[in-house]
Amino acid sequence: MNTTLEHDLNALRAVAPLVHNITNYVVMNYSANALLAVGASPVMAHAIEEVEEMAGIAGALVINIGTLSAPWVQAMKLAMKKAADLGKPIVLDPVGAGATHYRNTVLAELLETAPPAVIRGNASEILALAGLGGQTKGVDSTASSMSSLDAAHALSERFGCVVSVSGAIDVIVQKDRVSYVENGHPLMTKVTGMGCSASAIAGAFCAVQPDSFLAAATAAATMGVCGQLAFSKATAPGSFQIAFLDALFELTSEKLVELARVR
Amino acid sequence: MNTTLEHDLNALRAVAPLVHNITNYVVMNYSANALLAVGASPVMAHAIEEVEEMAGIAGALVINIGTLSAPWVQAMKLAMKKAADLGKPIVLDPVGAGATHYRNTVLAELLETAPPAVIRGNASEILALAGLGGQTKGVDSTASSMSSLDAAHALSERFGCVVSVSGAIDVIVQKDRVSYVENGHPLMTKVTGMGCSASAIAGAFCAVQPDSFLAAATAAATMGVCGQLAFSKATAPGSFQIAFLDALFELTSEKLVELARVR
Amino acid sequence: MNTTLEHDLNALRAVAPLVHNITNYVVMNYSANALLAVGASPVMAHAIEEVEEMAGIAGALVINIGTLSAPWVQAMKLAMKKAADLGKPIVLDPVGAGATHYRNTVLAELLETAPPAVIRGNASEILALAGLGGQTKGVDSTASSMSSLDAAHALSERFGCVVSVSGAIDVIVQKDRVSYVENGHPLMTKVTGMGCSASAIAGAFCAVQPDSFLAAATAAATMGVCGQLAFSKATAPGSFQIAFLDALFELTSEKLVELARVR
């Protein structure tokens, strides 16, 4: 995995891939700053008149339903169809899956529209998405990532995609491949948009690493390592979110390899 | 009041209430981070397809018209009606009341749709909402909170709700009850979304304190005390807004009781 | 220029002009905070029901197409027409010009609707807007500001406006007037919304300085000087964006005159 981590981060910085985000209002600023800090080039665009063209020039598409509404869902579908046609990787973040019927319905439609390369969510969302129950409290998880292992496998089988579950231990699944990332810090759950940024950064790595399973693991390790580095600077969520952006920017591939606990 | 302050903050941390926000684009991120930092669980959702369900699972509903538009107003009404039906507390933030006819019309409609537990605004907004004139400069206040006392009383009578007016001295009114909170710092007016976060946090306290008058006072004291704590760390608005989130997270009920000046 | 810099900043603080922004979701919070920090009063409003009234009470209108969609474009046109009728200065930020056909079409329509006082963009955007080619990578520039000098002159001639091109050296053009601002820091390109804030602040200065060419130069110098001051405090993008807001707040006209390199 060390070679992969090193390759992926260096490639991301060399290519600075354009990542097209159709994401929620709450996290747009933070996700854009996270992408810029790690070395990618973010663009947010949701107009039905331009999403296909934008998806066409981007290296990856990130779909996040955090503050969904009908016109945005229409744009998501157009962009996903286009990205799929062009063979561009799609990352889907099923924010709040299970919280309302509307989210569940939209997620089913999106998954039917085009197969994502990676689904990244918390355990509650993955459980809900797999139809295996699980209680979602708004957009926060009430289950552990390990408890969602079966759900992740089921989703991976059904949609032929990587499933990345964030939690105390991140679990990344693709068919018979499983990877565990034991990095990160609990304070990350006290900053809004950390999960959404994890999805955006997974998109950036998918743009430079064709094996989406490896890209998802590198993304999870990058997030987790930077969470730890940030906590060494700041122990409350305001200053922590700022230290986290700094850590993404200052992260070297050597540091990533040294601190990543991927197995 | 000390027992209330202690109870409310401890209850908020114990329950971590889900607060459903239909709020403006400018402050969504900061309000969500403020809610997380103080110990609540924020969710932002505005689709007409899901707002009723979301209001149903939340402990409180916060309505903020900062960047209103017709589809959002429709969602606000649906959510308010549902929350009222279920007896969930509603906090209404009349951002920019008096600045345009549209805002005034929408506010009248919202107040007719469902009675809020708390109206929280600055003095200009409260004066405008009460139809007692007052000049609003966009979304910033040009009047003092004390000058709006009559307006606050009039609104409280008319809608049977608590009216919380932010200013150098916060004034909280409900029928014949009045409370003054002499905390806070002028630098809070140099950070966007401070008032909106005050409303969001009032929602969180209403979810755990059935007496909305007390909840509004605790919220005002919490905001003000954290403003003072933040200013002891940071004297310019960029670092101040970050220190404020840190203060919300680090605030103990002992500290709140010690520093709160509520009468 | 020193007299202008001193006058403009002092006037901005004395007047605290209301700046009406119809801007993109990503930067709304940061732009509002930048305007507050420098001493202006921001308002974000995009509803077709109120944009004309809001433009009427504001000192300047800032139009930014970063996350455009059809209803927002309609509101932009209404607001621009009203501002033009009332002789209020308009700043247009053509975010992502050249990235999609939709952006190009909308920009052509907006420019036909009402003449802006200032067009402010990066070199790629200015080249695209002038129809002189240039490659836009999403919303980031791939050209140098100096290379866009001809494009800036062409645009200025065609629309009778000031064109302000951000880059390592900012270039401000109006007919036969040219000004160069050699301030700033490369780290500014690693924070989302820096360009958008430059446009918002140009709007604030246009509200207090009737010569838009001078206002645009003061705005560019203010941004650049604060970028340098911020970098003296913070060398990674998270803490840098916060230090930048602090610098805007703490900037004195003496400091601005001392550090500005305008010719």
Side-chain angles (χ1 to χ4, degrees):
Chain A
M1 187 70 200
N2 286 356
T3 323
T4 303
L5 292 170
E6 195 181 344
H7 164 272
D8 291 356
L9 187 59
N10 290 340
L12 190 157
R13 264 85 184 253
V15 174
L18 183 66
V19 180
H20 177 198
N21 300 270
I22 306 182
T23 187
N24 73 72
Y25 301 122
V26 187
V27 307
M28 279 191 190
N29 183 270
Y30 198 74
S31 292
N33 275 322
L35 284 169
L36 279 171
V38 81
S41 179
V43 70
M44 272 67 181
H46 68 285
I48 52 167
E49 292 89 346
E50 70 170 355
V51 286
E52 293 167 291
E53 206 173 343
M54 203 61 98
I57 60 171
L61 173 65
V62 178
I63 300 290
N64 175 309
I65 65 157
T67 54
L68 79 178
S69 65
W72 284 65
V73 171
Q74 196 189 347
M76 289 173 186
K77 289 178 186 171
L78 287 173
M80 288 175 83
K81 213 172 281 180
K82 189 66 176 184
D85 284 353
L86 298 172
K88 312 256 179 155
I90 301 168
V91 175
L92 175 66
D93 190 330
V95 180
T100 66
H101 288 87
Y102 183 52
R103 292 189 186 226
N104 294 347
T105 306
V106 166
L107 284 168
E109 289 173 15
L110 294 179
L111 285 164
E112 219 167 280
T113 301
V118 178
I119 299 173
R120 197 223 58 85
N122 63 39
S124 293
E125 290 158 351
I126 298 303
L127 283 164
L129 200 55
L132 298 179
Q135 199 58 28
T136 311
K137 181 184 175 188
V139 298
D140 293 330
S141 188
T142 56
S144 83
S145 49
M146 298 305 288
S147 70
S148 65
L149 199 54
D150 287 348
H153 273 295
L155 278 178
S156 176
E157 281 298 330
R158 202 184 317 158
F159 299 106
C161 65
V162 176
V163 177
S164 176
V165 193
S166 300
I169 300 172
D170 298 327
V171 181
I172 297 111
V173 165
Q174 188 188 36
K175 287 174 191 165
D176 56 346
R177 297 159 93 185
V178 186
S179 188
Y180 301 92
V181 180
E182 297 185 56
N183 291 104
H185 191 277
L187 202 53
M188 297 171 84
T189 64
K190 296 295 172 194
V191 176
T192 197
M194 271 290 164
C196 304
S197 295
S199 296
I201 284 176
F205 280 115
C206 283
V208 296
Q209 167 57 268
D211 183 335
S212 302
F213 178 79
L214 296 178
T218 301
T222 299
M223 290 294 298
V225 164
C226 287
Q228 292 167 215
L229 291 170
F231 188 75
S232 71
K233 298 274 177 65
T235 58
S239 44
F240 178 82
Q241 68 169 288
I242 298 304
F244 183 82
L245 293 176
D246 286 355
L248 282 175
F249 180 76
E250 291 169 343
L251 184 69
T252 59
S253 53
E254 291 76 25
K255 200 70 173 171
L256 177 59
V257 166
E258 179 195 329
L259 294 180
R261 291 185 58 195
V262 184
R263 60 183 168 89
Chain B
M1 187 69 200
N2 286 357
T3 322
T4 303
L5 291 171
E6 196 181 344
H7 164 273
D8 291 357
L9 188 59
N10 289 340
L12 192 157
R13 263 84 183 254
V15 174
L18 184 65
V19 180
H20 178 197
N21 300 270
I22 307 183
T23 187
N24 72 72
Y25 302 121
V26 187
V27 308
M28 279 192 192
N29 183 270
Y30 197 73
S31 291
N33 275 322
L35 284 169
L36 280 171
V38 81
S41 180
V43 70
M44 273 67 181
H46 68 285
I48 51 167
E49 292 88 347
E50 69 169 356
V51 286
E52 293 168 289
E53 206 173 342
M54 203 62 98
I57 59 172
L61 173 66
V62 178
I63 300 290
N64 175 309
I65 65 158
T67 54
L68 79 180
S69 64
W72 284 64
V73 171
Q74 196 189 346
M76 289 173 186
K77 289 178 187 171
L78 288 173
M80 288 174 82
K81 213 171 285 179
K82 188 69 176 181
D85 284 353
L86 298 172
K88 311 255 179 157
I90 301 168
V91 176
L92 175 66
D93 190 331
V95 179
T100 66
H101 288 87
Y102 183 52
R103 291 188 186 228
N104 295 347
T105 306
V106 165
L107 285 168
E109 290 172 14
L110 295 179
L111 285 165
E112 218 166 281
T113 301
V118 179
I119 299 173
R120 199 222 56 85
N122 63 40
S124 293
E125 291 159 351
I126 297 303
L127 283 163
L129 200 55
L132 299 178
Q135 199 59 28
T136 313
K137 182 186 176 187
V139 297
D140 293 331
S141 187
T142 57
S144 83
S145 48
M146 297 305 288
S147 70
S148 64
L149 199 53
D150 287 347
H153 273 295
L155 278 178
S156 177
E157 281 298 330
R158 203 185 316 159
F159 300 106
C161 65
V162 176
V163 177
S164 175
V165 193
S166 301
I169 300 171
D170 298 327
V171 182
I172 297 110
V173 165
Q174 188 188 36
K175 288 175 189 162
D176 56 345
R177 297 159 91 186
V178 186
S179 188
Y180 301 91
V181 180
E182 296 185 58
N183 290 103
H185 191 277
L187 201 53
M188 296 172 83
T189 65
K190 295 297 173 194
V191 175
T192 197
M194 271 289 165
C196 305
S197 295
S199 296
I201 284 175
F205 280 115
C206 283
V208 296
Q209 167 57 267
D211 183 336
S212 301
F213 178 78
L214 296 179
T218 301
T222 300
M223 289 294 298
V225 164
C226 288
Q228 291 167 216
L229 292 169
F231 189 74
S232 72
K233 297 273 177 65
T235 58
S239 45
F240 178 82
Q241 67 170 287
I242 298 304
F244 183 81
L245 293 176
D246 287 353
L248 281 175
F249 180 76
E250 291 169 343
L251 184 69
T252 59
S253 53
E254 291 75 26
K255 200 69 172 172
L256 178 59
V257 166
E258 178 196 330
L259 295 180
R261 292 184 58 194
V262 184
R263 60 182 169 87
Chain C
M1 187 68 200
N2 286 357
T3 323
T4 303
L5 292 171
E6 195 181 343
H7 164 272
D8 291 356
L9 188 58
N10 290 339
L12 191 156
R13 263 87 183 251
V15 174
L18 184 65
V19 181
H20 178 197
N21 300 269
I22 306 182
T23 186
N24 72 72
Y25 302 121
V26 187
V27 307
M28 279 191 191
N29 182 270
Y30 198 73
S31 292
N33 275 323
L35 284 168
L36 279 172
V38 81
S41 180
V43 70
M44 272 66 182
H46 69 284
I48 53 167
E49 291 89 347
E50 70 169 354
V51 287
E52 292 167 292
E53 206 173 342
M54 202 62 97
I57 61 171
L61 173 66
V62 177
I63 299 290
N64 175 309
I65 65 157
T67 54
L68 79 178
S69 64
W72 284 64
V73 171
Q74 197 190 346
M76 289 173 187
K77 289 179 186 170
L78 287 173
M80 288 175 81
K81 214 172 282 179
K82 188 68 174 183
D85 283 354
L86 298 171
K88 311 255 179 155
I90 300 167
V91 176
L92 175 66
D93 190 330
V95 179
T100 65
H101 287 87
Y102 183 53
R103 293 190 184 225
N104 295 347
T105 306
V106 165
L107 284 168
E109 290 172 15
L110 294 179
L111 285 165
E112 219 166 279
T113 301
V118 179
I119 299 173
R120 198 222 57 85
N122 64 38
S124 293
E125 291 159 351
I126 297 303
L127 283 163
L129 200 55
L132 298 179
Q135 199 59 29
T136 312
K137 181 185 176 187
V139 297
D140 292 330
S141 187
T142 56
S144 83
S145 49
M146 298 305 288
S147 70
S148 64
L149 199 53
D150 287 348
H153 273 295
L155 278 179
S156 177
E157 281 298 330
R158 204 185 315 160
F159 299 106
C161 66
V162 175
V163 177
S164 176
V165 193
S166 300
I169 300 171
D170 298 327
V171 182
I172 297 110
V173 165
Q174 187 188 39
K175 287 173 189 166
D176 56 344
R177 297 160 92 186
V178 187
S179 188
Y180 302 92
V181 180
E182 297 184 58
N183 290 103
H185 191 277
L187 201 53
M188 296 171 83
T189 64
K190 295 296 173 194
V191 176
T192 198
M194 271 290 165
C196 305
S197 295
S199 295
I201 284 175
F205 281 115
C206 283
V208 296
Q209 167 58 267
D211 184 335
S212 302
F213 178 79
L214 296 179
T218 301
T222 299
M223 289 294 298
V225 164
C226 287
Q228 292 166 217
L229 292 169
F231 189 75
S232 72
K233 297 272 176 66
T235 59
S239 45
F240 178 82
Q241 65 168 290
I242 298 303
F244 183 82
L245 293 176
D246 286 353
L248 281 175
F249 180 77
E250 290 168 343
L251 184 70
T252 59
S253 53
E254 292 74 25
K255 199 69 172 173
L256 177 59
V257 167
E258 180 196 329
L259 294 179
R261 292 185 57 194
V262 184
R263 59 182 169 88

